[in-house]
Amino acid sequence: MSNISYFHNPLSVPLEHRTLFQKLDICAIENPDKEAIVLYDDTRKRSSLTFGEYQIQSRALAASLIEKGLGHGDRVAIMSPNKLEYVISMMACLRIGANVINIVQGLSSDDIAEILTALKCNALICFVDEDPTISKVASIAIHDIFTIHKPKEHLPHFREVITIGSLVECERSRDHIHLYSELLSTGHTLEKENLTKSEKNVQFDDDAILLLTSGSTGKHKAVQYTHQGLVMSAIISGQVIKANKDSRIYNDSPFTWAPALCSGLCICPIFGSTIVFIPPAAAVRDHSVEFLLSVLQDEKCTNAILMPFHLYDIANSEDLLRNHNLTHLRYAAVGGQPAPKTLAEKILCLIPWLKLVLYYASTEFMVVTEQVLDRNSIHLLPYGWMEVSPGVEMKITGKNGRILQLGAIGEVHVRGPMVFQEYLENPKATALSVSRTGWYNSLDIGKMKKNGLIKIYGRKGDAINRATDTFYPVEWENVIIQHPLVSQVQIIGVPDQRLYEELCACVVLKEHKDLDQKRAQIERWYDEQWPPNADGLSWKPRYTVFLEKLPRTRTNKPDRRTLKEIAIAMLGLKL
């Protein structure tokens, strides 16, 4: 059995039965004046919430929610940008035993109404000020809910709307629409006896919070976590990113996404860490690296949750980096997509005291692997081969669902206390993804070797089938990124009448000029990397296209579907 692609790393701590709000209450007693959340807005204005304030305000809002008839088992949707009001609302809902439904930004009013209907939501907490897009969508959604959709007919479960900010008077005058600020103020004066009873009634196997998938493969799926699943996900994630009570952790993900929740908002009360957020849009805007570096410096961040594009920005901003003091920064956790080794090497050269933590994660199971690298070990360890995190089981299976031998490439499955409970109101999708024994099929492709080291090659659907060979893009991307002219690269399969698919390299150059000359130079270099095989075919990409930037999904991951459409159009190929 020791030669099969299966590994279990036992938990180093007991399973946690306490809830997130119970952990917060402990932090509030021990360190009431310590900052829990630090938040910067687009103007770089700083606001914060101490552990004591976090406890008091979340309990006050929870008391008002109970007074409005909300409680255990109710489903409360929250639609908000990164605001302290979101943090307080989430914790208040957890205190009363409500199930928090995170509504991602960028949805239309029809999408929002559809989600509220499908998930049988009882209430909506939404932000309606400052951002005109969010305000418009929220106002339309509220209008649709209480007029067009007529709750009693189409949304029989729906009862309350709570607005963060203010609506026009005609909306405020409607029954069952409340101002967040008024509920918070009133909650401070209410007796807390009913709240205390509600808190005691919450158990670790109750539904706690729900995250929506990106919807890139169709409809959004609703990923449900219990209180214990949420807490255990954060414990495992915190261990991976090296969090402790003295940590100050940088994170710029939207609050309604898994990275902000699991590696930020939940780590805060569990480890007693301070989490520092900047607006998500600032992280991807041009020249935002100065904002990032300034916050890392000024907040004396010890840890950072980063995407590979952050590393590209930092690596290409050496002058800015020299002007910022990052000596407090000890760990940078990088996930979401593979980070090329050459990029990691450059970052560790520029910040020699830093340790990079490569991790593998998903909305359905949060963080489950890690590889810690410093400027020396990156040259000694096999890059990208990660250890299975404590508390996690992983296996690699073939097409028949059976576990493969070590060293074979197959589908990655995960099991453990951090795996989600179900796709809410979607038993068919749950049955297709989770086995009767609790294994979640990630639909990612990977390989395992001795001691449980695992390497992820990408999505099963991203594999390229050419003639009799199957290619996994990351292997070619790791080679091409080493070319001195190349800044970024993604490999896709494009249609070929004879071989079914051919490899196409989509390249962002360091300088987007003299394209024909550079294409010829890169393609000659291909010949050196991939000489012809015994069958006369080479593994080199047949096509190379140059783009000024690569498309990304809503969650900032590579959008290979759109990229494929762009490349096919540029090459004049037919599907």
Side-chain angles (χ1 to χ4, degrees), residues 312-386:
Y312 281 112
D313 290 343
I314 294 170
N316 293 324
S317 305
E318 292 186 41
D319 289 341
L320 272 176
L321 186 59
R322 279 191 290 269
N323 292 328
H324 289 81
N325 179 3
L326 302 187
T327 52
H328 290 87
L329 186 63
R330 295 300 171 183
Y331 295 97
V334 183
Q337 64 192 76
K341 183 179 180 180
T342 52
L343 179 60
E345 288 174 334
K346 185 170 183 180
I347 290 295
L348 292 174
C349 180
L350 293 172
I351 313 175
W353 58 87
L354 185 68
K355 290 184 179 180
L356 283 180
V357 183
L358 308 183
Y359 68 86
Y360 170 54
S362 162
T363 303
E364 285 84 354
F365 52 71
M366 306 299 184
V367 178
V368 293
T369 68
E370 63 177 291
Q371 183 183 37
V372 182
L373 300 166
D374 58 31
R375 63 182 304 189
N376 296 316
S377 63
I378 195 170
H379 303 294
L380 301 173
L381 297 175
Y383 185 80
W385 284 92
M386 296 174 283

Side-chain angles (χ1 to χ4, degrees), residues 79 103-115 137 140-141 144:
M79 183 175 69
I103 306 292
V104 296
Q105 292 177 239
L107 300 180
S108 69
S109 60
D110 288 340
D111 289 334
I112 295 167
E114 183 178 342
I115 290 169
V137 170
I140 292 173
D144 287 355

Side-chain angles (χ1 to χ4, degrees), residues 8 16 130 179 199 203 251 390 400 478 518 535 571 575:
H8 174 221
E16 180 59 76
E130 295 181 19
L179 279 178
E199 290 174 330
Q203 297 186 356
N251 193 319
N400 60 359
N478 284 339
K518 290 178 178 177
D535 60 5
L571 296 169
L575 289 172

Side-chain angles (χ1 to χ4, degrees), residues 8 30 91 105 109 152 214 250 261 383 432 436 475 480 569 572:
H8 174 221
E30 294 178 348
M91 193 62 71
Q105 292 177 239
S109 60
K152 297 301 180 184
S214 65
Y250 170 92
L261 182 70
Y383 185 80
L432 288 172
R436 63 180 179 83
E475 297 180 280
I480 296 173

Side-chain angles (χ1 to χ4, degrees), residues 386-398:
M386 296 174 283
E387 297 178 1
V388 177
S389 301
V392 179
E393 289 180 275
M394 298 186 75
K395 66 178 181 179
I396 308 294
T397 70

Side-chain angles (χ1 to χ4, degrees), residues 60 183-192:
L183 292 184
L184 185 63
S185 177
T186 301
H188 287 296
T189 67
L190 293 174
E191 293 293 332
K192 301 300 189 292

